[in-house]
Amino acid sequence: MASAAIFSSQRRRRSPSPEAFLAPVDLAEVTLIRTLAAVAAELAASFSGRTAPFQRRNSRSLVRKVEVFAVLLEYLRDSSSIAKSISSLSPTAILCLKELYMLLYRSKMLLDYCFNSSKLWLLLQHQMMSGHFHDLNQEISTLFDVFPLNELDLSDDIREQIELLQKQSRRSNFLIDKQDEALRMKLFSFLDKFEKGRIPDPVELYSFFVEKLGIRGSKSFRVETEFLEEQIVNHEGDVEPTVSVLDGLVALTRYSRFLLFGLEEDDVELRSGKQKKPKKGLVAREIAETFLTIPKDFCCPISLDLMRDPVIISTGQTYESSSISRWIEEGHYTCPKTGQMLVHTQLVPNLALRNLIMQWCTAHGIRYDPPENAVSSAETFAGASASKAAVEANKATAALLIQQLASGSQGAKAIAALEIRLLAKTGRENRAYIAEAGAIPHLNALLLSSNVVAQENSVTAMLNLSIYDKNKSRIMDEEGCLGCIVQVLRFGHTTEARENAAATLFSLSAVHNYKKQIADEEGAVEALAGLLREGTPRGKKDAVTALFNLSTHTNNCTRMIESGAVTALVGALGVEGVAEEAAGALALIVRQPIGAGAVEDEEMAVAGLIGMMRCGTPRGKENAVAALLELCRSGGVAATEKVLKAPALAGLLQTLLFTGTKRARRKAASLARVFQRCENASLHFGGMGVDYGFARNAAANRDTSFAGDMPVQMSISVPVL
């Protein structure tokens, strides 16, 4: 426990907690000496004769001090002549021994870090690490100054070694290795070349990484990259180097790995069936369950990308400005998320959310490009933007990977797809230039591969690329690409491949013109319905969101019915995590008479919607009451009667009128007015029945053209909204 605390504190340059350095308590003097002797002996044995990759002089000096401590403590432990003097040590001497215990453990942590940490990270941190060595040396010197050595009957040889060590500690200065500093500057010179648009010489990269740093082989490069990515994840704002510098170094290291060693070692792993799953670091920010998950409220519901210019529309929903503008320009006058009609098309900047997104990006090292007219200064958040060096290095890496996709072995293609998948997960620029460089045709060729790894990585790479709006058209225009994605959805080798294919369809269906094309693709809607019925929780979520998007196109209603999607959506009303979207999709489908008829024929449809009104989320209740209202509007007498007979509906509507969202209250009020009119019509026409009452009201507008069921008594006060 102590080791972990110290290690973490040194990595993050903050003072360790006191618990990390607690010395043994309630130990007799002799037992304390034995414990110290064992610790010092183990430490000396572990590091004597070894050479650290960096901090060589500082580490050798500290190891020599530990060796002297080991000799001293061994002498005290084994010498019977001073046993009596040990048992009568003063409180000052006991306190010094306990302090020595803490110094030994801090030495162990520091040396462990120097010998076993990432070489690139040590190179970046070598000035700070020199400070740690200097501080530790100063504390050792102070310990000797106050330690009452005269209380111990030491031999002349031991006393001479102690005095020599004391003098050396007093004379030691803050030491920075000039060779280490030169290597650090060389590392930054590579970044500077990328910053200026020039690619470093491969010979220089080989000399630096392989010959001087000793990073040999693809696996060693991968370890270095993952360690740097971990530092980005755990980065604290005041710690050097900045996130933008770390991003550049990760990109440089990744490029050097593929340039110098290609994909050969990974290819061998694939052929032997030992696929390496993406590590949960910054480079592997997967669609789900990653170290760094973008908050849902920060993503545009249309593009699914992190918003850079969030705006509010008349329904109160927030979207990326460019996405919602394009939606409106295409002739849509409803809210994409709720389906509610837009009162006006004015877009109001959501400044509060924009500032929260900027702060979150700064804290997590995500590139953020504020809009040109942003109120906040971009300079304030300069740390959040990836450096040009990272961008250029990633471009060079993408070119190498696409070359492998085009002409590499089957194993190399699979790994190249994996690396493109990871690269495309972060940043709009990455997605843009990967597609521009021609990756999509090569990824498409791998979608139906018999290689499990190749298929899974290619479809997920396609998903990540599709998040960038301009890439949606590239994917849809690629001959056979949509059909291949649907094939993966239907017959993919792995669950993850099928789920990511569904997510890709959802992403592509954000463009209204593609919704009909996707729905008409053979087996697409059927496969989504099947995934909604039988998939994993994540698969169900991917499927229901895709079906919701497809439901927003009026011409898809028949396909949704014929494919069994309506039945699957009704079944999902009782499934946590997807019920809200399922109700929303049904509310869209029942707007058409044919859709209303299909939903009415589902035995559990009304009961499921009533259950959601009772126990669902606020948005779920809103969608449920909207679906019931639309069912009455489009379904005629039979549907209205079926809804009206639902138990406890009156009480649920009453509750929604006072506790629901604004839209839920409006829908509940409309549904309540329907029932009141039907009740009054039935009474007025003297028991002539629901059919007659419905017919008398049929000529009214949509809000007044409903029938009720006479036996249900509803007394609801309808507020003016």
Side-chain angles (χ1 to χ4, degrees), residues 255-299:
Y255 168 74
S256 300
R257 167 192 168 191
F258 295 128
L259 176 69
L260 301 179
F261 296 99
L263 304 173
E264 294 179 1
E265 294 187 28
D266 293 311
D267 191 2
V268 172
E269 288 184 3
L270 280 178
R271 287 199 300 267
S272 62
K274 299 178 181 179
Q275 182 196 2
K276 178 179 173 59
K277 284 289 183 181
K279 187 173 179 177
K280 290 183 178 179
L282 201 64
V283 73
R285 286 177 254 183
E286 298 300 323
I287 296 302
E289 301 178 355
T290 59
F291 249 55
L292 184 60
T293 301
I294 300 176
K296 182 179 179 181
D297 292 338
F298 291 177
C299 296

Side-chain angles (χ1 to χ4, degrees), residues 65 154 259 328 408 532:
K65 292 181 177 66
L154 301 175
L259 176 69
I328 295 172
L532 179 56

Side-chain angles (χ1 to χ4, degrees), residues 405 410 413-414 417 439-463 465 475-476 478-494 497-498 500-502 504-505 508:
L405 276 180
Q410 290 303 310
K413 288 181 179 180
I440 290 175
H442 299 299
L443 291 172
N444 182 36
L446 291 178
L447 287 175
L448 301 185
S449 171
S450 59
N451 185 315
V452 175
V453 179
Q455 183 186 76
E456 183 178 307
N457 288 321
S458 60
V459 73
T460 310
M462 200 75 77
L463 166 61
L465 291 173
I475 293 173
M476 294 296 290
E478 179 65 28
E479 184 177 356
C481 191
L482 176 60
C484 289
I485 293 171
V486 172
Q487 288 294 97
V488 176
L489 172 62
R490 298 174 66 188
F491 310 114
H493 299 308
T494 65
R498 294 190 293 273
N500 288 345
T504 305
L505 294 182
L508 295 172

Side-chain angles (χ1 to χ4, degrees), residues 88-153:
S88 60
L89 287 176
S90 66
T92 300
I94 297 298
L95 184 61
C96 288
L97 289 175
K98 291 183 176 181
E99 177 68 19
L100 177 58
Y101 178 93
M102 292 187 284
L103 290 177
L104 287 175
Y105 262 97
R106 287 178 59 187
S107 299
K108 181 179 186 301
M109 296 303 103
L110 190 56
L111 291 171
D112 271 339
Y113 194 62
C114 285
F115 279 90
N116 302 320
S117 187
S118 157
K119 295 178 180 179
L120 287 172
W121 182 249
L122 285 175
L123 194 59
L124 292 172
Q125 298 290 307
H126 85 100
Q127 292 185 352
M128 185 192 73
M129 297 301 295
S130 296
H132 281 306
F133 278 104
H134 181 68
D135 292 344
L136 197 56
N137 187 75
Q138 293 297 106
E139 292 180 41
I140 291 174
S141 178
T142 302
L143 176 65
F144 280 127
D145 288 339
V146 299
F147 197 106
L149 291 174
N150 56 346
E151 295 184 17
L152 301 175
D153 185 17

